[in-house]
Amino acid sequence: IFNLVDASASNMKRILKEGGNIKIYIGGIAELFKCCRTEERLYLKKRKGFIKLALRAGVDIIPIYCFGNTSVLSVLTHGPLAALSRKLQASLTLFWGKWYLPIPRDEKLLYVVGKPLGLPHIVEPTQEDIDKWHKVYCDQVRDIFEMYKEKVPLYKHKKLFID
């Protein structure tokens, strides 16, 4: 319905080959179950394939952060549904928002678009190249978070962890 696809390498290669743009929404099942009212967690340390693909394709990456997405709904984060969700890599959980219904709370959302990283085109990037640009990406995401968290009341005291 929204042209959403999984972030597999084959899907991203196909979209780029067709001349399309890719928007990767940071977050998945791991983040769904680990974020809370006091902290944000991004599982990015081992997720480097998108950097490698961008370097190979000669396309740039623009970091984006959405403030408020983990505050509009509460999620049941423990128990058998959480474990099953992680195993299946699909969200099988209970969630609630306004009036304990599956209606998002009226929380402020803020989407911040960073600056392009300036990735070079490297046909066969080394692990060192990938690690370097992955660090630049993670640093920019962290900078966006720290610079703008004060603008969203529920994020003012949150900490960002990149695991």
Side-chain angles (χ1 to χ4, degrees), residues 46-121:
K46 294 181 182 177
R47 294 177 176 169
K48 299 180 182 182
F50 69 102
I51 298 288
K52 183 177 182 179
L53 180 68
L55 289 168
R56 282 184 171 170
V59 297
D60 213 344
I61 293 176
I62 302 171
I64 298 173
Y65 199 90
C66 174
F67 293 88
N69 62 328
T70 58
S71 303
V72 295
L73 293 169
S74 296
V75 179
L76 181 65
T77 59
H78 303 289
L81 284 179
L84 185 59
S85 292
R86 284 188 208 101
K87 184 175 181 174
L88 297 176
Q89 295 186 358
S91 178
L92 302 171
T93 189
L94 299 174
F95 60 91
W96 62 94
K98 191 189 299 186
W99 307 304
Y100 294 96
L101 296 172
I103 300 170
R105 294 183 190 94
D106 297 325
E107 303 290 351
K108 180 178 181 177
L109 296 177
L110 175 65
Y111 292 82
V112 178
V113 179
K115 296 177 184 173
L117 299 183
L119 265 70
H121 182 203

Side-chain angles (χ1 to χ4, degrees), residues 101-143:
L101 296 172
I103 300 170
R105 294 183 190 94
D106 297 325
E107 303 290 351
K108 180 178 181 177
L109 296 177
L110 175 65
Y111 292 82
V112 178
V113 179
K115 296 177 184 173
L117 299 183
L119 265 70
H121 182 203
I122 304 174
V123 178
E124 288 300 325
T126 64
Q127 190 61 49
E128 186 177 301
D129 296 326
I130 295 164
D131 292 343
K132 171 190 170 183
W133 288 103
H134 183 265
K135 181 182 180 330
V136 170
Y137 175 79
C138 290
D139 289 348
Q140 282 206 20
V141 168
R142 188 180 309 282
D143 290 348

Side-chain angles (χ1 to χ4, degrees), residues 3-15 22-25 27 53 89:
N3 290 328
L4 300 175
V5 297
D6 72 83
S8 67
S10 60
N11 274 336
M12 291 194 280
K13 286 177 189 174
R14 178 184 51 78
I15 292 166
I22 299 171
K23 291 94 182 154
I24 300 174
Y25 178 78
L53 180 68
Q89 295 186 358

